[in-house]
Amino acid sequence: MPYTHRIARPDDLPAIVAIYNSTVASREVTADTEPVTTESRRAWFAEHDPATRPLWVAEEKISGAPDRIAGWLSFSNFYGRPAYAATAELSIYIHEDARRKGLGSYLLREAIDAAPAISIHTLLGLIFGHNVPSLRLFESFGFTHWGNLPRVAVLDGIERDVVIVGRRVG
């Protein structure tokens, strides 16, 4: 696998935002309908404590070239109340050039393996119902359908479902 991952640094934020923004137009991955700015994501970045809610960047090893950030994964609080401290929502975003090359699988496998060490026992994904590639990815790692929020998002006038997938890891 030509990928490694590490804790994101503040100077990674522009690359993280660029990858995120590359998904906005597809209306398949994010509920944002317009690109976000690096400045608008600084507070979100700061919420990711490496010890409990890490934000990782995945670097692609390219022979004879500097490593490049090919994607990222975040562990985020679920609902923000103390009783949910052992539950985290996962988000995975992949650079256009790295999609469908195994990076999502790499990141999800690493997240599942790392979760117990950071006191996370339940992982969730909140995925648009029409985002078949992401649903298949999570299902391939043992996530199952835990809920459906019908027509809760409106993208370009089309109502979209959000599917909740989950997996116990500890």
Side-chain angles (χ1 to χ4, degrees):
M1 183 68 60
Y3 304 111
T4 59
H5 69 280
R6 61 173 172 75
I7 297 294
R9 299 182 301 252
D11 62 325
D12 297 324
L13 190 53
I16 291 167
V17 168
I19 291 168
Y20 181 84
N21 283 339
S22 76
T23 69
V24 172
S26 74
R27 301 298 195 252
E28 191 169 290
V29 182
T30 177
D32 277 312
T33 57
E34 297 293 329
V36 300
T37 65
T38 300
E39 189 58 37
S40 73
R41 300 301 281 176
R42 290 196 193 285
W44 166 85
F45 184 92
E47 291 171 3
H48 287 87
D49 178 352
T52 60
R53 293 297 185 266
L55 171 60
W56 295 339
V57 292
E59 294 180 316
E60 184 175 23
K61 303 292 183 187
I62 302 170
S63 180
D67 296 348
R68 92 172 163 131
I69 295 177
W72 56 270
L73 177 141
S74 66
F75 290 81
S76 297
N77 288 330
F78 171 73
Y79 206 59
R81 302 257 177 12
Y84 300 113
T87 299
E89 177 188 348
L90 294 178
S91 297
I92 300 173
Y93 287 83
I94 308 294
H95 189 283
E96 280 183 287
D97 296 341
R99 292 179 192 151
R100 293 171 186 71
K101 295 181 180 177
L103 179 53
S105 293
Y106 167 78
L107 285 169
L108 193 50
R109 182 179 317 104
E110 294 294 315
I112 290 166
D113 290 348
I118 56 174
S119 301
I120 294 172
H121 304 290
T122 304
L123 294 171
L124 300 174
L126 279 72
I127 303 169
F128 282 133
H130 63 287
N131 185 345
V132 175
S134 290
L135 289 169
R136 284 188 181 145
L137 172 64
F138 277 75
E139 288 168 4
S140 74
F141 281 88
F143 285 75
T144 57
H145 186 274
W146 284 9
N148 187 58
L149 304 172
R151 302 185 325 256
V152 296
V154 180
L155 297 168
D156 299 328
I158 301 170
E159 294 179 325
R160 298 294 190 172
D161 296 354
V162 172
V163 175
I164 302 167
V165 295
R167 178 181 165 170
R168 294 282 298 172
V169 293

